[in-house]
Amino acid sequence: MNKNEFFENRLNVNRRHFMGKMAAGIGSVALGSLLVPDLFKGAGDDVEELPLGIAQFAPKAKRVIYLFQNGAPSQYESFEYKPLLNKMAGEELPASIRMGQRLTGMTANQAKFPLVGSYFKFAQHGQSGMWMSELFPNIANIADDLCMIKTMNTEAINHDPALTFMQTGAQQGNRPSMGSWVSYGLGSENKNLPAFSVLLSRGKGNGQGVYSKLWSNGFLDSTHQGVVFSSGEDPILYLNNPANSDRASHRKMLDNLAELNNMAFDDFGDPEIKAKVQQYEMAYRMQTAVPELTDLSKEPDHIVKMYGPECLVPGTFAANCLLARKLSEAGVRFVQLYHQGWDQHGNMVGEMPLQAKDTDRASAALITDLKQRGLLDETLVIWGGEFGRTNYGQGTSTKDNYGRDHHPRAYCTFMAGGGVKPGTVYGQTDDFGYNIVRDPVHINDFHATVMHLMGINHEKLTYKHLGRRYRLTDLAGKVLPGLIA
């Protein structure tokens, strides 16, 4: 037996079998390199990293629309029914329930902590029997499409760190937002639009401000920063050509600028130079795509009726919900809405209905619209704020005139579509709504689960910065199977 015969028999592989398998392997490698150009470049160190630009495993959601209710809506006037608070209204919060937990400076010096029940009526809705306030009749109508979390919790007790934590996974600044991480991990589905867009609206109640660090790219490339759409004449500032400049001359200018930037990159090697070139090119492509997308006047009458007449008024929450659907439908990975005005430390009875009226109809319409278009299964919709509200009154309280302070121990958030369990109530608080008794959902866990739904392993999507590897969930977070269909 010669050497070739020995190896063919030993491995049970002949030449024809070997060449057939080899051809298939080379084809797979070639396809992978076309789909993900950086697939085989190597990580540069010994840390296991999965390739960017594609989901790491089969995703349940392709896109996210996050309806963030800035200022923290009260769970007791929305989705957390606690009849004991009405029964014990005016009585002191038991020390055995409070257990000396941290308070804000606004109520820490109060002599008493009188319990306050909700002024508004609650009823059960849908086959799930989900409890909801009379302030949200439209959301109540889609109860069986929702996954209601009753046990969100955070360590932050004031707005700025809590808001930053909810959006970036850290209480301090200079961290990439969740939208930036999704952009970094998955890229864009539409080369003519950004992967991460931001829409702003303001309600009639007391508002906490929003600021650019909430949609910042942090230490990631600036191509992953959220692009803000304004309600003015120009949806994106500085996108249009300067006066007396046509598209052809603009194209020539960009080509020349790119050549100069590439020369600078060869000299300095700063990756941000390449990122700026990509941003210029994106802006050029957006000049055609954005005006058509932001024109809501062509929406059919039944859509306008569903969202309400305010959807045709730029800058309203309703208009932003409709625009969010259009952006998501066009392939934007992460659309972030901020609606300000939920900070009811007083006059809950007067202000809460105004905020609910701003958001109830359009939120339900967005979910219904996506469902009718067959897009809800692949679009994850999130609704919620940065923390909850206390079960006791702030300052002087009466049955029809009261306010509530910040409460980070337990609050409500709901999700719909994108692979979550519909018609589900997750978690339970005690009869006072103060402490969690079952299935807590920390912000890190929430982020890990959202990333999982998008096909991303939150522990492996990392970025090396200042000598260590960062991720959205930092050193914590676990996926919660109970939220996933």
Side-chain angles (χ1 to χ4, degrees):
M1 179 183 294
N2 61 34
K3 181 170 66 175
N4 290 338
E5 290 173 333
F6 171 80
F7 280 107
E8 285 181 5
N9 292 330
R10 180 179 177 86
L11 300 175
N12 196 26
V13 177
N14 57 34
R15 290 186 180 87
R16 179 178 298 176
H17 184 264
F18 173 78
M19 294 304 294
K21 292 293 185 183
M22 188 68 175
I26 292 173
S28 299
V29 170
L31 177 62
S33 67
L34 289 173
L35 292 175
V36 188
D38 295 333
L39 184 60
F40 304 107
K41 72 176 184 178
D45 57 27
D46 294 331
V47 177
E48 180 186 5
E49 287 187 333
L50 295 176
L52 304 175
I54 57 174
Q56 297 166 358
F57 46 86
K60 291 181 177 290
K62 294 181 180 179
R63 294 169 291 277
V64 174
I65 299 176
Y66 196 160
L67 309 178
F68 193 82
Q69 310 305 313
N70 186 39
S74 169
Q75 68 274 30
Y76 301 111
E77 276 67 39
S78 54
F79 310 119
E80 183 72 302
Y81 179 51
K82 294 297 179 183
L84 181 65
L85 298 184
N86 291 82
K87 184 178 179 180
M88 296 181 61
E91 296 184 32
E92 185 73 4
L93 171 64
S96 60
I97 298 298
R98 185 189 154 201
M99 296 187 291
Q101 291 169 9
R102 181 186 177 196
L103 304 176
T104 74
M106 291 172 282
T107 55
N109 295 322
Q110 284 189 189
K112 296 183 178 181
F113 300 96
L115 296 170
V116 176
S118 177
Y119 178 85
F120 305 100
K121 296 178 181 178
F122 275 72
Q124 290 180 284
H125 297 272
Q127 294 183 352
S128 59
M130 202 173 289
W131 286 98
M132 292 196 183
S133 159
E134 62 181 318
L135 295 180
F136 297 89
N138 293 284
I139 292 176
N141 287 336
I142 59 167
D144 288 336
D145 291 319
L146 307 182
C147 178
M148 180 68 69
I149 302 172
K150 297 290 189 75
T151 52
M152 287 290 296
N153 62 93
T154 178
E155 290 82 28
I157 199 169
N158 290 312
H159 289 287
D160 182 272
L163 180 56
T164 307
F165 196 10
M166 195 72 217
Q167 299 299 288
T168 71
Q171 295 187 45
Q172 65 272 29
N174 195 35
R175 294 289 185 88
S177 68
M178 186 171 12
S180 296
W181 278 112
V182 170
S183 172
Y184 170 66
L186 297 178
S188 177
E189 286 189 304
N190 187 332
K191 298 301 182 184
N192 296 325
L193 292 169
F196 177 24
S197 298
V198 179
L199 308 172
L200 309 176
S201 60
R202 179 177 287 277
K204 302 176 182 66
N206 292 321
Q208 291 293 320
V210 294
Y211 21 80
S212 60
K213 75 173 182 178
L214 300 175
W215 52 87
S216 168
N217 54 294
F219 42 69
L220 300 177
D221 292 343
S222 56
T223 53
H224 303 299
Q225 181 174 344
V227 175
V228 180
F229 284 65
S230 74
S231 59
E233 184 177 347
D234 295 327
I236 298 180
L237 300 179
Y238 314 116
L239 184 64
N240 294 331
N241 291 329
N244 302 319
S245 174
D246 57 25
R247 192 165 176 81
S249 61
H250 189 197
R251 177 69 268 169
K252 184 177 180 180
M253 180 272 290
L254 287 178
D255 291 340
N256 292 333
L257 184 60
E259 185 176 352
L260 291 172
N261 276 316
N262 287 330
M263 292 170 60
F265 179 78
D266 292 339
D267 289 338
F268 301 104
D270 184 355
E272 192 60 22
I273 296 175
K274 289 285 189 182
K276 289 297 182 186
V277 173
Q278 295 177 45
Q279 288 178 313
Y280 295 149
E281 293 296 329
M282 171 62 76
Y284 179 79
R285 296 192 298 270
M286 287 169 63
Q287 286 181 329
T288 300
V290 167
E292 181 179 355
L293 271 176
T294 55
D295 182 6
L296 304 181
S297 64
K298 297 179 181 178
E299 290 296 312
D301 290 343
H302 73 277
I303 293 296
V304 175
K305 184 177 180 180
M306 183 188 301
Y307 284 85
E310 284 198 339
C311 75
L312 298 180
V313 180
T316 62
F317 181 80
N320 285 349
C321 281
L322 179 52
L323 180 55
R325 188 268 291 166
K326 295 185 70 174
L327 289 169
S328 183
E329 190 175 25
V332 176
R333 290 279 189 190
F334 202 103
V335 185
Q336 176 79 63
L337 280 71
Y338 291 97
H339 188 66
Q340 303 165 71
W342 290 98
D343 197 19
Q344 276 78 49
H345 288 273
N347 194 21
M348 181 73 71
V349 175
E351 290 187 6
M352 186 82 172
L354 301 177
Q355 288 296 109
K357 185 178 179 180
D358 279 343
T359 59
D360 171 55
R361 183 174 181 176
S363 299
L366 172 62
I367 293 170
T368 303
D369 195 4
L370 289 168
K371 188 175 182 178
Q372 291 177 350
R373 293 168 184 271
L375 296 173
L376 186 58
D377 287 344
E378 61 185 35
T379 307
L380 177 64
V381 180
I382 305 169
W383 194 104
E386 62 264 40
F387 43 57
R389 292 284 164 178
T390 55
N391 58 7
Y392 57 83
Q394 178 175 337
T396 303
S397 299
T398 64
K399 181 180 178 181
D400 55 3
N401 185 12
Y402 59 89
R404 300 186 188 273
D405 199 7
H406 308 164
H407 185 65
R409 296 285 297 179
Y411 61 104
C412 295
T413 291
F414 71 72
M415 299 188 286
V420 300
K421 285 183 179 179
T424 299
V425 176
Y426 187 89
Q428 181 181 340
T429 58
D430 59 32
D431 290 340
F432 294 87
Y434 199 91
N435 294 302
I436 295 170
V437 297
R438 189 183 73 238
D439 297 330
V441 180
H442 188 267
I443 288 176
N444 295 137
D445 303 329
F446 183 76
H447 287 162
T449 304
V450 170
M451 299 293 271
H452 179 86
L453 291 168
M454 293 292 287
I456 298 172
N457 184 330
H458 73 103
E459 293 181 337
K460 292 186 178 180
L461 184 65
T462 63
Y463 188 89
K464 193 170 184 178
H465 175 65
L466 297 179
R468 62 159 286 195
R469 292 197 168 271
Y470 289 86
R471 66 187 203 221
L472 174 62
T473 52
D474 204 24
L475 301 176
K478 59 183 181 297
V479 176
L480 301 175
L483 298 174
I484 302 172

